[in-house]
């Protein structure tokens, strides 16, 4: 029996304390997941040992049959989980079972509110892991030894989950980890073999490592009576114990796929969809890719976890192999198992391997096809889009070759239903295009409302032409990488000359030209009054209700992108807008009749208003207010 020496008491990192507290309270109705988490860790530990043993067979210590064992002691009210995986040394125990190493944890925990339902969802996003043991246990003891250490280097970790843990050296001949859960009074139901077996099947069938539980067999005499004292205990493998992705699709149920997802993705909500494929030929690999139902908290962090779990011929090689998918598909989770890489492949080697590049391109197509299929279920796709849409929008810039496919997957808010929800596809837009309309029109603004109410849309609303309403930070960047869809060019309605093509009749165009001529004098005067504040002054045919708007030349960076770049401290060359005036507006008529200073002030007011309507900032807002007030009180 192990004897503990040099016991030391240490405090949990603050975040761990917070997490423990919240987990115990918010996951109360979902307590059984502790078993899944602990088995998942044991299986990972076996995977890691097998990987390290590839070039150091001695690590097996003559025991290469990797396994997880679960035992119940009903009298002691405890459950023990044991694995002969890689184990941990003292430093690893302190780091892994005393802190939360992932970056962003503190920020994540701040989002938690103490409201059970909401927090349960957020915690699911985070992946609960080892600490979930405390949902059912009032004391947890971990005994472990790393595979390359001697038996004196065992470690015992013990905690009641209340802020601190003790750690001690122990003698531990067996490598790997043993976790003893002393069950809380209200969790005694888990000290039941039958219950545990069914949970193992439910959550861990897909794990390749066998999960074994003891089975007591009693010999029977000739009359079929049990012979007293003849009990022998054998170990029975409870789970299926074959890697799920190796099994034929026809053998697998949706529940199997979902359970496996939770293991690979460290997520405890269901995935939205998945795609399981075996490829044979020049490249040989099996992939199982999932679209999660919710975003991980580090989706937008530069060093956030991404990529697939990589196996080579069923041997686990690494987590988060990011070389198999492009950045804009970083939300995809899953497994790739291949015969085409060597077992000692490293991250550096993956980067240079042409086979990996080919697999990446195939897996990218698979992922896009999977999304296309998902789109047939509008509700599920909307969930996907709301969660990951702005990541997918990075696609056209990153992956030029697939930009048409990606364009088909995009969803937009549009003037069609004037809803802020991005729920319209480009295909639907094209279907609704007017007779004679050749272009796809869009506007980019800082907010949905600013886009929706932009003066630039007046003519489009009047003519019933749909416009995409873009307001995500990435939208202008996105549109600068999309040139056409289905043969139709994209046109920013706030840039360049507005040409509605065949939608406008010849007569309309003629009338516009005539008005422009008739107003030449006014335009000249306004240009003189505003000087180099504006590039040009024109008569508009975009506006019906507003007096004026500002427009940028066709090839200029748009207003939204300018503001983002300026906010990021990027100096940009100044660009002067074109001011367009609505000759039918009362204020423009008034301008025409004004003289001297009054003319200059009114012209200024019209320009400033147009800039404000665009979401822009005035250099001298106080001067604008003063001029406006003077006008109002005149
Ligand atoms: P995760 O599995 O997402 O990394 P966990 O909280 O489940 O997070 O586990 C934290 C870490 O503790 C693991 O990454 C692993 O390094 C270590 N660990 C947990 N259980 C075991 C085990 N049975 N054997 C070896 N290491 C383990
Ligand atoms: Mg884990």
């Amino acid at each position: 029996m192990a004897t503990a020496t040099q016991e030391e008491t240490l405090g949990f990192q603050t975040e761990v304390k917070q997490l423990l507290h919240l987990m115990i309270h918010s996951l109360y109705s979902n307590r059984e997941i502790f078993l899944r988490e602990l088995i998942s860790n044991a299986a990972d530990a076996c995977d890691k040992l097998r990987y390290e043993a590839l070039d150091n067979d001695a690590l097996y210590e003559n025991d290469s049959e990797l396994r997880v064992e679960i035992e119940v002691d009903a009298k002691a009210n405890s459950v023990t989980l044991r694995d002969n995986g890689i184990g941990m040394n003292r430093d690893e125990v302190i780091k892994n079972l005393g802190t939360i190493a992932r970056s962003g944890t503190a920020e994540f925990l701040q989002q938690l509110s103490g409201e059970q339902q909401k927090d349960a969802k957020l915690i699911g996003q985070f992946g609960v892991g080892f600490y979930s043991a405390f949902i059912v246990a009032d004391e947890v003891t971990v005994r472990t030894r790393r595979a390359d250490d001697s038996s004196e280097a065992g470690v015992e970790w013990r905690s009641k989950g209340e802020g601190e843990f003790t750690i001690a050296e122990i003698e531990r001949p067996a490598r790997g980890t043993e976790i003893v859960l002393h069950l809380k009074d209200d969790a005694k139901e888990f000290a039941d073999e039958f219950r545990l077996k069914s949970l193992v099947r439910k959550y861990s069938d897909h794990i390749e490592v066998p999960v074994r539980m003891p089975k007591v067999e009693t010999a029977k005499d000739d009359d079929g009576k049990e012979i007293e004292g003849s009990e022998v205990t054998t170990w029975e493998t409870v789970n299926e114990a074959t890697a799920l992705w190796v099994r034929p699709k026809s053998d697998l149920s949706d529940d199997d796929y979902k359970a496996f997802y939770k293991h690979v993705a460290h997520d405890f909500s269901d995935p939205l969809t998945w795609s399981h494929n075996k490829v044979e030929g020049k490249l040989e690999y099996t992939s199982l890719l999932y679209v999660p139902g919710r975003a991980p908290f580090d989706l937008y962090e530069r060093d956030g976890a991404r990529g697939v779990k990589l196996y080579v011929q069923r041997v686990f090689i690494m987590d988060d192999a990011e070389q198999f998918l492009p950045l804009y598909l970083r939300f995809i989770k899953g497994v790739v198992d291949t015969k085409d890489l060597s077992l000692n492949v490293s991250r550096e080697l993956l980067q240079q391997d042409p086979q990996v590049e080919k697999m990446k391109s195939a897996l990218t197509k698979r992922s896009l096809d999977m999304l296309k299929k998902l789109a047939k279920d509008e509700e599920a796709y909307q969930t996907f889009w709301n969660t990951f849409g702005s990541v997918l929008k990075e696609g056209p810039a990153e992956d030029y070759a697939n930009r048409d496919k990606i364009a088909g997957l995009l969803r937009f808010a549009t003037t069609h239903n004037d809803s802020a929800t991005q729920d319209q596809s480009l295909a639907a837009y094209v279907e609704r295009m007017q007779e004679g309309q050749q272009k796809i029109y869009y506007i980019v603004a800082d907010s949905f409302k600013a886009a929706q109410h932009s003066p630039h849309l007046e003519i489009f609303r009047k003519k019933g032409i749909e416009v995409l309403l873009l307001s995500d930070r990435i939208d202008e960047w996105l549109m600068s990488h999309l040139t056409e869809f289905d043969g139709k060019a994209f046109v920013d309605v706030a840039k360049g000359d507005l040409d509605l093509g065949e939608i406008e009749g010849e007569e309309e165009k003629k009338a516009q030209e005539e008005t422009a001529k008739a107003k030449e004098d006014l335009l000249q005067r306004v240009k003189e009054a505003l000087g180099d504040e504006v590039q040009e002054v024109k008569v508009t045919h975009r506006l019906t209700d507003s007096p004026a708007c500002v427009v940028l030349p066709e090839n200029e960076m748009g207003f939204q992108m300018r503001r983002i770049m300026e906010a990021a401290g990027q100096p940009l060359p100044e660009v002067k807008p074109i001011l367009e005036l609505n000759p039918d507006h009362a204020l423009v008529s008034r301008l025409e009749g004004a003289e001297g200073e009054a003319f200059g002030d009114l012209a200024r007011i019209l320009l400033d208003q147009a800039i404000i309507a665009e979401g822009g900032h005035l250099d001298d807002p106080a001067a604008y207010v003063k001029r406006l007030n003077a006008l109002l009180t005149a």
Side-chain angles (χ1 to χ4, degrees):
M1 184 62 220
T3 47
T5 52
Q6 288 190 355
E7 193 167 286
E8 197 180 330
T9 302
L10 297 170
F12 283 119
Q13 183 194 24
T14 320
E15 282 86 10
V16 175
K17 278 188 242 173
Q18 274 170 294
L19 183 67
L20 278 170
H21 179 81
L22 280 156
M23 201 157 51
I24 291 164
H25 291 93
S26 56
L27 296 183
Y28 189 80
S29 53
N30 215 342
R31 294 191 295 178
E32 60 192 40
I33 58 140
F34 81 93
L35 195 66
R36 179 187 77 209
E37 295 298 327
L38 297 181
I39 293 176
S40 174
N41 285 349
D44 287 347
C46 292
D47 271 350
K48 283 181 203 158
L49 177 69
R50 195 178 321 160
Y51 176 65
E52 286 196 18
L54 286 174
D55 34 49
N56 182 6
D57 211 36
L59 290 180
Y60 280 127
E61 301 173 13
N62 296 321
D63 175 18
S64 61
E65 205 187 300
L66 299 174
R67 61 192 177 266
V68 179
E69 290 170 355
I70 303 179
E71 274 183 285
V72 171
D73 184 340
K75 265 195 219 125
N77 206 18
S78 71
V79 176
T80 301
L81 279 102
R82 200 176 300 122
D83 67 65
N84 58 350
I86 190 74
M88 287 175 273
N89 61 29
R90 192 172 191 275
D91 289 347
E92 287 168 330
V93 170
I94 293 175
K95 183 173 149 273
N96 294 331
L97 312 186
T99 64
I100 302 175
R102 293 173 73 182
S103 63
T105 310
E107 297 91 274
F108 162 78
L109 285 164
Q110 265 160 21
Q111 296 173 33
L112 298 178
S113 63
E115 266 174 67
Q116 189 159 326
Q117 261 185 343
K118 229 172 94 202
D119 290 347
K121 276 196 184 142
L122 280 171
I123 285 197
Q125 221 179 70
F126 187 74
V128 285
F130 169 78
Y131 300 108
S132 66
F134 289 100
I135 308 175
V136 295
D138 52 21
E139 183 169 47
V140 177
T141 309
V142 178
R143 297 189 189 96
T144 182
R145 173 172 69 78
R146 222 191 123 86
D148 45 7
D149 286 341
S150 67
S151 58
E152 292 90 69
V155 182
E156 184 178 276
W157 177 102
R158 193 186 278 271
S159 176
K160 294 191 193 307
E162 283 167 350
E164 53 182 40
F165 59 90
T166 62
I167 192 151
E169 284 171 17
I170 56 166
E171 160 103 23
R172 186 170 158 79
R175 76 152 186 272
T177 305
E178 174 179 277
I179 300 180
V180 185
L181 307 173
H182 183 264
L183 298 172
K184 293 179 180 172
D185 283 344
D186 62 4
K188 282 188 181 149
E189 59 184 290
F190 295 108
D192 169 11
E193 278 178 17
F194 190 73
R195 176 86 198 274
L196 288 177
K197 275 183 190 167
S198 85
L199 289 177
V200 170
R201 281 190 207 103
K202 177 170 170 190
Y203 289 120
S204 309
D205 232 6
H206 57 272
I207 282 181
E208 189 168 17
V209 179
V211 179
R212 312 196 312 186
M213 289 182 68
K215 186 178 174 186
V216 181
E217 271 169 300
T218 322
K220 290 186 179 132
D221 65 17
D222 291 345
D223 302 331
K225 266 203 199 142
E226 294 186 348
I227 303 170
E228 228 173 289
S230 72
E231 295 90 358
V232 265
T233 306
T234 54
W235 287 99
E236 176 193 24
T237 298
V238 183
N239 63 339
E240 188 79 23
T242 349
L244 176 123
W245 65 89
V246 178
R247 292 163 63 191
K249 283 194 214 184
S250 52
D251 269 15
L252 295 164
S253 69
D254 284 2
D255 283 341
D256 292 329
Y257 281 112
K258 288 178 186 171
F260 185 65
Y261 166 77
K262 292 170 186 179
H263 171 65
V264 286
H266 297 264
D267 180 358
F268 82 73
S269 58
D270 285 339
L272 282 177
T273 186
W274 52 86
S275 167
H276 182 189
N277 298 94
K278 197 174 175 140
V279 176
E280 273 161 358
K282 271 196 199 145
L283 289 172
E284 279 195 32
Y285 65 89
T286 301
S287 62
L288 172 52
L289 304 176
Y290 289 95
V291 179
R294 64 176 63 148
F297 71 100
D298 54 4
L299 185 61
Y300 293 98
E301 273 172 38
R302 236 164 230 278
D303 55 355
R306 58 188 185 88
V308 294
K309 233 174 151 88
L310 176 64
Y311 287 77
V312 171
Q313 303 198 49
R314 308 247 304 281
V315 176
F316 166 78
I317 305 294
M318 66 179 82
D319 280 311
D320 310 331
E322 68 257 32
Q323 294 78 3
F324 290 86
L325 284 170
L327 195 55
Y328 73 93
L329 294 175
R330 61 182 175 274
F331 50 83
I332 303 261
K333 301 283 180 201
V335 170
V336 174
D337 185 352
T338 176
K339 292 197 169 120
D340 295 323
L341 293 172
S342 112
L343 281 164
N344 46 30
V345 71
S346 65
R347 269 180 212 277
E348 291 65 40
L349 288 173
L350 283 181
Q351 260 157 17
Q352 304 151 6
D353 195 312
Q355 305 274 49
V356 173
E357 199 50 45
K358 281 184 202 139
M359 276 188 245
K360 177 179 179 178
S361 125
L363 293 171
T364 301
K365 288 218 166 65
R366 280 253 186 265
S367 306
L368 296 175
D369 288 345
M370 166 164 65
L371 292 174
K372 192 171 167 188
K373 241 190 213 159
L374 180 68
K376 290 186 183 142
D377 175 349
E378 264 179 48
E379 200 184 314
Y381 195 75
Q382 199 59 49
T383 305
F384 159 74
W385 184 260
N386 295 344
T387 318
F388 300 114
S390 53
V391 177
L392 195 67
K393 282 179 180 178
E394 297 169 13
E398 185 185 355
D399 187 358
Y400 196 71
N402 281 311
R403 74 191 186 290
D404 290 341
K405 272 194 177 174
I406 301 165
L409 295 169
L410 300 174
R411 294 293 179 271
F412 298 95
T414 92
T415 53
H416 169 65
N417 53 4
D418 263 323
S419 148
T421 312
Q422 298 174 7
D423 59 359
Q424 298 298 314
S425 68
L426 291 172
Y429 178 103
V430 168
E431 208 151 275
R432 290 190 290 263
M433 274 169 62
Q434 300 238 347
E435 180 93 22
Q437 183 183 345
Q438 288 130 346
K439 311 257 163 83
I440 299 175
Y441 296 100
Y442 69 91
I443 184 160
V444 189
D446 291 344
S447 69
F448 170 73
K449 280 240 161 76
Q452 187 189 22
H453 298 141
S454 167
H456 291 294
L457 299 187
E458 288 172 9
I459 185 71
F460 291 90
R461 291 202 187 269
K462 184 173 165 200
K463 293 193 176 284
I465 303 170
E466 186 171 348
V467 180
L468 307 177
L469 303 171
L470 306 183
S471 55
D472 284 350
R473 274 176 74 88
I474 189 169
D475 281 341
E476 197 173 325
W477 171 251
L478 164 70
M479 296 316 284
S480 68
H481 289 91
L482 280 181
T483 42
E484 54 168 60
F485 177 78
D486 196 11
K488 280 123 196 126
F490 288 100
V491 173
D492 182 340
V493 302
K495 277 188 197 168
D497 281 326
L498 181 66
D499 179 7
L500 293 177
E502 289 167 27
I503 311 169
E504 276 175 327
E506 281 307 310
E507 272 175 37
E508 235 173 317
K509 284 186 187 162
K510 225 175 177 171
Q512 283 167 9
E513 277 165 32
E514 277 167 21
T515 335
K517 239 191 195 129
K519 299 291 171 192
E520 244 167 44
D521 185 42
L522 171 69
L523 301 180
Q524 187 61 33
R525 284 172 68 207
V526 175
K527 175 72 181 101
E528 271 163 32
L530 295 175
D532 57 9
E533 294 286 311
V534 293
Q535 198 169 110
E536 202 184 339
V537 183
K538 286 185 179 175
V539 164
T540 193
H541 36 277
R542 300 173 209 260
L543 303 175
T544 59
D545 302 329
S546 303
C549 66
V550 282
V551 178
L552 286 177
E554 191 115 37
N555 299 315
E556 275 303 332
M557 186 184 286
F559 289 115
Q560 186 206 33
M561 183 94 98
R562 291 189 73 85
R563 283 192 284 269
I564 290 175
M565 306 225 4
E566 276 161 8
Q570 289 256 15
L572 292 173
E574 221 182 326
V575 50
K576 300 290 175 202
I578 299 160
L579 177 67
E580 293 194 358
L581 297 173
N582 175 1
D584 301 326
H585 198 281
L587 276 177
V588 177
S589 308
R590 184 143 152 203
L591 180 68
E592 236 175 337
E595 298 285 345
E597 205 180 322
F599 180 87
D601 280 350
L602 188 49
R604 230 9 253 244
I605 287 175
L606 290 178
L607 172 63
D608 287 352
Q609 282 189 343
I611 291 172
I612 293 172
E614 196 60 55
H617 297 286
L618 301 179
D619 288 339
D620 188 355
Y624 165 74
V625 172
K626 209 166 168 186
R627 278 190 211 106
L628 188 65
N629 288 348
L631 182 76
L632 289 171
T633 51

